[in-house]
Amino acid sequence: MGSMSGFWTIFWAKLSEFLPNLLVGFEVTLIVAAGSFVIAMSLGLLLAIARQSQNRWASVPAGIYIEFIRGTPALTQLFIIYFGLAQLGFSLPGLVAAIAGLGLNGAAYVAEIFRAGLQAVPDGQRQAAISLGLTPYQTFRHIRIPQAVKLMMPAFCNYAIQLLKDTSLASVVAAPEVMFRARALVMETYLSMQIYVLVGLMYLSISIPLSILAGRLQRRTVKMAGAAA
Amino acid sequence: MPILSVRGLQKSFGNFNVVRDVSFEVERGQKVAIIGPSGSGKTTVLRCINFLERPNGGVIEIDGERFGVRMTGGSERFESDASLAKKRADIGFVFQRFNLFSHLTALDNVALAPRLVRKMPREQALEIGRRMLARVGLSGKENNYPDALSGGQQQRVAIARVLAMQPKLILFDEPTSALDPELVGEVLAVMRDLANEGMTMLVVTHEIRFAAEVADRIIFMDGGQIVADGPPRQVLYDQPTDRMKQFLRSLSSDNAPTAGAPS
Ligand SMILES: Nc1ncnc2c1ncn2[C@@H]1O[C@H](COP(=O)(O)OP(=O)(O)OP(=O)(O)O)[C@@H](O)[C@H]1O
Ligand SMILES: [Mg+2]
């Protein structure tokens, strides 16, 4: 009991020291999340298009990629990019490896979200657009994508939450994100409980709003689908 | 020259021949109805005409221009998507299930293609959209989304959407068969107006009375082939085949043609 309260005394005394340090780390966390999100979204869209293509040279490799990513742990993929590439003479900084790794990983999941969303748009609308003289690209851009994106929004929010948490993997390749800094602080101070709880709260400050947003979008989507039926 | 010429059209799915050697023509301003039992290939013929479905054989000509195939250096090639799209823009297609764009208002549904395909400025496209909605009796519904419209209203928006492209020919695939009975009349009324204004129309329908009254010709299809093609009176009453009599009996009685309907 005595030592616990002692820890808290030290914690409060040092909070002003920890907090800026951890916040700098959390900024890096957000950069990793944002960077990999952008990669995952763009590559994921391309993968989804390739996957549904009539051309086997596009659809088969895309399928293999998606299966490989979804069938192996993100940590393994990250190690391949960081340690594996280094062995071949391409050493990437931890931060770059983390963004690339999580982006390449997320692309497979995003591709599946896009595929499901595009499939949910009734094919009759594609046919109507084509019959009016829209090109396949215009149909994709003006009819299918806008509706698919609306349907996909809740899934993208959930993916963003998952990604935010997965950025902690970056700590094992020495990207100076919040978990990496927290571990260093704990080694210095032995205040594991206090520091990790504080870090947990930082993650929650982003994930809870995202989760509420996902819930709202979900209800809206259900309403949309109900009205269409 | 006919506005539409179909010669030796064939289409199969797998090794099932759905359309076998179908030929007919539609002259400018003509209204032609296609009737026939379920599965006889009516929808497939319509979908082949604007290449929503690629025929396996035969020739489709719109205004004398070959559709879907290009001659390059003496050999036939499939037409490119862009070139197909340009030709489809001149042929309206009204679907059984309306197929409105559910993320767009009625007005945007109608104005989209003029803007994207005809490259019209936004304001001008919206102006045309409003005019076309008025033409199908839907002024005041411009800002409704499809799910806030009845089936009959949705189908009228779909017709307005087609009209906004000023098509040379409109193909209708059972435009009223997905509608509640009380909503059928409003759509048929719009189609009657179009017919009276001289629009060229090819209509697949089970509304025999409508076909008998409005069409210049009725085509009866069975088993992927045309078994009769002529003026309504002739096809329906003067020399009906046994198959035709059976088909007419299969239609619900309230929809059956009145004896001696005008042709
Ligand atoms: N994409 C497809 N793949 C496989 N078979 C098809 C396809 N489209 C149509 N068919 C088959 O072709 C046959 C003719 O279909 P089609 O829709 O042209 O008939 P229809 O005369 O329009 O019938 P209905 O009056 O029921 O609309 C049917 O047996 C149908 O099952
Ligand atoms: Mg049909």
Side-chain angles (χ1 to χ4, degrees):
Chain A
M1 229 13 237
S3 79
M4 271 308 265
S5 61
F7 271 129
W8 282 111
T9 316
I10 300 170
F11 176 74
W12 288 116
K14 295 230 168 183
L15 184 62
S16 60
E17 218 175 282
F18 295 160
L19 200 56
N21 191 339
L22 289 174
L23 281 176
V24 170
F26 197 60
E27 216 179 289
V28 176
T29 293
L30 293 180
I31 289 170
V32 172
S36 45
F37 188 78
V38 170
I39 294 175
M41 290 297 272
S42 2
L43 185 59
L45 178 59
L46 292 180
L47 274 175
I49 294 170
R51 187 82 186 90
Q52 60 148 29
S53 160
Q54 305 290 331
N55 184 342
R56 279 172 185 281
W57 292 103
S59 68
V60 171
I64 291 173
Y65 180 87
I66 291 169
E67 287 313 314
F68 174 81
I69 293 288
R70 302 210 313 162
T72 55
L75 192 59
T76 310
Q77 297 157 16
L78 199 49
F79 278 12
I80 290 174
I81 288 171
Y82 187 66
F83 298 113
L85 286 185
Q87 183 198 334
L88 300 180
F90 305 101
S91 356
L92 299 174
L95 187 65
V96 174
I99 291 177
L102 292 172
L104 293 174
N105 173 270
Y109 293 91
V110 167
E112 288 297 288
I113 297 174
F114 270 115
R115 192 180 58 83
L118 286 170
Q119 266 178 5
V121 179
D123 192 57
Q125 294 188 33
R126 183 190 63 80
Q127 295 177 24
I130 292 289
S131 76
L132 286 164
L134 272 71
T135 62
Y137 171 75
Q138 287 174 324
T139 303
F140 190 71
R141 159 84 181 70
H142 294 277
I143 305 301
R144 299 182 68 208
I145 278 288
Q147 296 189 66
V149 164
K150 245 187 230 169
L151 295 168
M152 293 180 301
M153 286 308 283
F156 281 138
C157 280
N158 289 325
Y159 163 67
I161 294 170
Q162 187 60 44
L163 175 62
L164 179 72
K165 295 185 293 184
D166 283 351
T167 55
S168 60
L169 292 173
S171 65
V172 297
V173 296
E177 49 74 70
V178 70
M179 281 299 287
F180 183 79
R181 282 176 181 263
R183 271 204 338 224
L185 272 180
V186 167
M187 272 187 252
E188 241 171 69
T189 63
Y190 301 103
L191 298 171
S192 350
M193 178 60 85
Q194 293 87 338
I195 289 172
Y196 288 137
V197 167
L198 189 62
V199 169
L201 290 175
M202 288 181 178
Y203 282 111
L204 282 175
S205 73
I206 305 288
S207 60
I208 287 179
L210 273 176
S211 168
I212 291 173
L213 182 63
R216 289 221 178 123
L217 293 169
Q218 181 71 52
R219 275 193 294 282
R220 203 191 62 184
T221 313
V222 169
K223 242 176 34 201
M224 253 167 48
Chain B
M1 183 178 45
I3 204 151
L4 168 67
S5 167
V6 177
R7 291 198 298 273
L9 181 66
Q10 293 185 32
K11 176 70 189 176
S12 49
F13 295 107
N15 45 21
F16 175 31
N17 294 324
V18 172
V19 175
R20 319 173 195 197
D21 194 22
V22 162
S23 303
F24 63 94
E25 291 182 343
V26 178
E27 301 290 335
R28 193 179 302 275
Q30 254 189 343
K31 298 96 187 78
V32 177
I34 303 182
I35 61 174
S38 183
S40 56
K42 307 180 297 293
T43 296
T44 308
V45 166
L46 234 50
R47 291 170 61 84
C48 284
I49 289 173
N50 75 347
F51 271 67
L52 275 181
E53 214 76 74
R54 230 178 233 299
N56 298 111
V59 172
I60 308 283
E61 275 176 8
I62 306 289
D63 240 350
E65 242 191 295
R66 184 83 187 268
F67 202 154
V69 178
R70 246 177 349 136
M71 298 297 290
T72 35
S75 64
E76 289 187 353
R77 293 270 181 80
F78 281 144
E79 210 170 350
S80 71
D81 282 335
S83 159
L84 271 180
K86 203 170 280 164
K87 289 192 185 156
R88 285 194 188 107
D90 290 333
I91 307 170
F93 199 113
V94 176
F95 297 83
Q96 196 171 347
R97 305 215 61 99
F98 333 134
N99 296 347
L100 293 185
F101 308 130
S102 38
H103 63 307
L104 298 179
T105 61
L107 182 55
D108 285 332
N109 260 278
V110 180
L112 184 75
R115 219 151 52 75
L116 293 180
V117 179
R118 303 280 191 229
K119 310 291 177 209
M120 232 176 242
R122 193 182 145 72
E123 263 319 309
Q124 192 186 344
L126 290 177
E127 185 45 40
I128 289 195
R130 279 186 280 268
R131 274 219 316 276
M132 293 306 143
L133 284 176
R135 193 164 159 196
V136 298
L138 287 175
S139 291
K141 299 289 183 191
E142 286 84 356
N143 296 322
N144 285 43
Y145 284 88
D147 61 21
L149 295 170
S150 73
Q153 291 170 335
Q154 288 188 54
Q155 191 61 297
R156 286 189 281 154
V157 173
I159 293 173
R161 178 172 71 174
V162 159
L163 291 176
M165 295 299 283
Q166 299 183 299
K168 295 176 177 168
L169 160 73
I170 305 182
L171 312 172
F172 295 81
D173 187 13
E174 297 194 35
T176 59
S177 60
L179 296 175
D180 292 336
E182 72 272 20
L183 301 177
V184 168
E186 63 190 62
V187 172
L188 291 183
V190 166
M191 291 172 62
R192 250 178 242 271
D193 287 346
L194 287 181
N196 291 336
E197 288 162 23
M199 180 62 75
T200 312
M201 298 159 68
L202 180 59
V203 186
V204 171
T205 185
H206 287 306
E207 300 286 337
I208 299 294
R209 187 182 303 177
F210 174 81
E213 286 171 17
V214 174
D216 301 301
R217 261 164 58 213
I218 289 185
I219 292 176
F220 179 58
M221 277 190 73
D222 193 18
Q225 288 173 313
I226 293 180
V227 289
D229 178 350
R233 182 183 293 277
Q234 177 192 324
V235 171
L236 293 175
Y237 317 111
D238 291 354
Q239 334 152 341
T241 58
D242 288 347
R243 195 75 179 91
M244 169 71 89
K245 285 183 205 152
Q246 189 191 343
F247 170 67
L248 291 178
R249 267 200 307 274
S250 74
L251 298 172
S252 61
S253 56
D254 60 42
N255 180 33
T258 41
S263 56

